[in-house]
Amino acid sequence: MKTLKLDISKAGVEITPRMEERTREALSLLYSKQGAGNDFLGWVTLPSSIAPQELSRIEAEAKKLRECADVIICIGIGGSYLGAKAVAEAMGDSFAALRPRKEPVVVFAGQNLSEEYTYELLDAVKDHSIAAIVISKSGTTTEPAVAFRIVKAEIERRYGKAGAAERIVAITDRARGALKTLADNEGYATFVIPDDVGGRFSVLTPVGLLPLAAAGVDIEALVRGAEEMERATGEQVAFAENPAAVYATVRNALYEAGKKIEILGSYEPKLQYINEWWKQLYGESEGKDGKGLFPASVTLTADLHSMGQYIQEGERTMFETIVSVTAPKHEVRIESDAENLDGLNYLAGKRLSEVNRMAELGVQLAHVDGGVPNLRIEIPEISAHALGALLYFFEKACGISGYLLGVNPFNQPGVEAYKKNMFALLEKPGYEAETKAIRERLK
Ligand SMILES: O=P(O)(O)OC[C@H]1O[C@](O)(CO)[C@@H](O)[C@@H]1O
């Protein structure tokens, strides 16, 4: 079975030779490195270029962390968090909290500035041994830096400076940034985020791979899946056979036809954080110069009972992309009931996945009838291999799509605006004039 299939039969888009040609040009730019943001294209060949020694080193470091800690606190935000969180959630047990814990757990921090969250984290790990992975490409992002200062202090209190150096791993730039300086000074093990891989494209670097290995995910299978997709979306692959090229073409055609929102959805709640990872990938890559599809998401069928009404009958400015999983790993059947008071005996004997599938098909047709074009991405199962392919598929399509849109998909200048205001409000040294100006505005 193919690792991933794309179905555009309900998208209502006729792909013309001209569209195909433009997409081929956009795809070529990713390989020729002649397009905007060309110093951030390392991710294109990342899966096939990961050295086996690098994977072994990541696995060895993960093993060390797993041996010394019950809880591994993974600190990062945006692209330094979402990839690992997405795969860990997808591969984890939804009800792990109810089961006796046999394995170390990975928890996340530094993705917010919430005092409640941080207090609860510190309180929850009080009676557990802990270790930390701190991730920041720039090494200067406020949220993870603050969280790391707090977690580092806690680790040092418990294990001393030398013990902390055994329990903290930093993943950052090879040479620049406060985190690099700090890690060198403290003697932490470090992994490098390559210069030519931006945060949101970094899931297949140590940024995603170390936390996932620490969480017990088979990272070799993840990388193999991505590598397969790298081949399946290569420059030489025929357009119709390249799902990333087709997806990028269709979503851009829909955008040009007036659709402004793309909703990514899935009928598997375990994939919810894949949506969040995808939102950053596409939002930061395409939302600029006054352009870009707004990436939104739903988890189904839950959100049919909240957003379903709007999707069916609200503004006709959206289309949907559904990530569909062919086969669940486990079986649950609906039983027959002698009294049938709930009237559900017509479902007796069926697997829940059959009901879920009928919901999916029914919703697809209803939404298409309601003016919401539908794309379907089918993966065979929720496995490390299939997720690796899915992640790379979305990355490749994003690079192509950004070039089709005419933006630089590899920068994010807009993210700086809030930081300037926050630093001014917090009276960061060097921001004195901004502090004065913002205070005036808040009077
Ligand atoms: O890894 P860093 O440098 O801490 O950045 C985290 C995230 O912040 C951003 O730079 C946006 O501020 C994202 O692009 C990035 O993924």
Side-chain angles (χ1 to χ4, degrees):
M1 183 190 282
K2 266 194 169 177
T3 322
L4 181 148
K5 277 197 291 196
L6 174 70
D7 179 1
I8 58 160
S9 62
K10 306 272 183 303
V13 170
E14 199 65 55
I15 298 177
T16 63
R18 174 72 193 121
M19 285 154 80
E20 214 178 295
E21 193 190 317
R22 285 192 60 223
T23 300
R24 239 196 309 270
E25 285 164 9
L27 174 61
S28 287
L29 286 179
L30 294 178
Y31 288 92
S32 67
K33 303 196 174 177
Q34 299 298 311
N38 53 4
D39 39 359
F40 285 101
L41 287 167
W43 59 270
V44 175
T45 51
L46 195 53
S48 60
S49 60
I50 300 175
Q53 307 89 285
E54 170 86 337
L55 276 186
S56 307
R57 199 190 146 218
I58 292 171
E59 280 164 344
E61 198 60 49
K63 186 164 174 274
K64 201 174 127 198
L65 293 174
R66 283 166 68 84
E67 279 166 2
C68 75
D70 297 342
V71 182
I72 299 155
I73 305 171
C74 183
I75 298 170
I77 196 165
S80 293
Y81 150 68
L82 285 163
K85 172 78 174 169
V87 177
E89 286 282 308
M91 294 301 295
D93 178 345
S94 310
F95 296 96
L98 301 180
R99 303 192 197 274
R101 198 177 42 77
K102 287 194 242 107
E103 300 249 332
V105 290
V106 172
V107 298
F108 293 89
Q111 79 281 38
N112 59 58
L113 289 166
S114 163
E115 194 159 343
E116 293 299 349
Y117 184 93
T118 309
Y119 174 85
E120 287 176 10
L121 169 66
L122 293 173
D123 191 55
V125 299
K126 245 185 359 228
D127 301 324
H128 295 287
S129 51
I130 54 174
I133 303 170
V134 53
I135 309 171
S136 177
K137 173 146 195 212
S138 63
T140 55
T141 307
T142 309
E143 292 91 334
V146 169
F148 182 55
R149 180 179 275 218
I150 294 167
V151 170
K152 174 178 180 281
E154 175 64 16
I155 294 181
E156 286 178 355
R157 240 188 317 275
R158 293 198 204 179
Y159 308 103
K161 277 247 173 216
E166 292 297 306
R167 289 168 179 268
I168 295 175
V169 181
I171 306 176
T172 188
D173 187 81
R174 110 181 41 248
R176 283 171 300 128
L179 179 57
K180 173 66 184 160
T181 314
L182 195 158
D184 286 348
N185 277 359
E186 302 284 7
Y188 301 154
T190 55
F191 286 87
V192 169
I193 309 173
D195 289 346
D196 57 358
V197 180
R200 58 187 174 274
F201 290 88
S202 68
V203 59
L204 297 167
T205 72
V207 170
L209 299 179
L210 181 63
L212 288 170
V217 172
D218 180 352
I219 57 168
E220 289 183 32
L222 187 84
V223 171
R224 263 200 315 277
E227 202 178 335
E228 254 174 50
M229 190 50 62
E230 182 187 328
R231 279 196 300 275
T233 58
E235 213 185 347
Q236 307 310 329
V237 176
F239 175 86
E241 298 299 314
N242 180 339
V246 176
Y247 174 54
T249 307
V250 171
R251 62 195 298 284
N252 271 276
L254 289 166
Y255 179 65
E256 280 168 24
K259 301 297 182 193
K260 301 292 179 208
I261 299 164
E262 178 175 8
I263 305 175
L264 189 74
S266 166
Y267 287 76
E268 290 296 342
K270 285 163 97 73
L271 298 185
Q272 198 168 341
Y273 268 88
I274 296 283
N275 296 347
E276 300 306 319
W277 171 84
W278 173 88
K279 282 196 271 192
Q280 187 211 4
L281 182 63
Y282 281 80
E284 276 194 355
S285 299
E286 294 196 318
K288 55 197 69 161
D289 306 339
K291 299 196 259 193
L293 279 161
F294 181 82
S297 69
V298 288
T299 296
L300 304 167
T301 61
D303 290 341
L304 292 175
H305 302 271
S306 61
M307 296 303 290
Q309 170 61 38
Y310 193 103
I311 297 171
Q312 191 67 46
E313 295 183 344
E315 285 230 31
R316 302 299 70 193
T317 50
M318 62 186 71
F319 67 93
E320 244 173 359
T321 300
I322 298 297
V323 176
S324 179
V325 182
T326 315
K329 280 203 202 87
H330 304 105
E331 192 175 311
V332 177
R333 284 187 190 274
I334 300 168
E335 288 176 34
S336 175
D337 184 286
E339 293 177 44
N340 194 28
L341 293 176
D342 53 12
L344 288 180
N345 269 356
Y346 75 102
L347 297 176
K350 285 196 194 303
R351 287 181 65 173
L352 206 45
S353 54
E354 287 178 69
V355 182
N356 206 17
R357 177 50 56 104
M358 292 311 122
E360 185 179 326
L361 295 178
V363 169
Q364 184 190 50
L365 291 179
H367 287 180
V368 169
D369 291 346
V372 179
N374 224 275
L375 283 76
R376 192 155 161 274
I377 296 161
E378 192 175 319
I379 58 171
E381 59 187 4
I382 300 177
S383 64
H385 184 269
L387 292 173
L390 182 68
L391 296 176
Y392 185 86
F393 158 80
F394 276 135
E395 288 182 353
K396 193 64 152 292
C398 184
I400 302 170
S401 192
Y403 282 155
L404 283 175
L405 184 65
V407 299
N408 174 355
F410 307 113
N411 64 6
Q412 56 285 329
V415 187
E416 297 311 311
Y418 98 89
K419 292 184 187 170
K420 204 176 100 214
N421 287 348
M422 183 176 75
F423 293 149
L425 288 166
L426 288 168
E427 300 180 33
K428 184 172 176 173
Y431 284 77
E432 292 75 12
E434 286 87 349
T435 301
K436 206 161 158 260
I438 206 163
R439 289 260 158 81
E440 283 300 314
R441 288 183 63 192
L442 290 176
K443 269 186 188 158

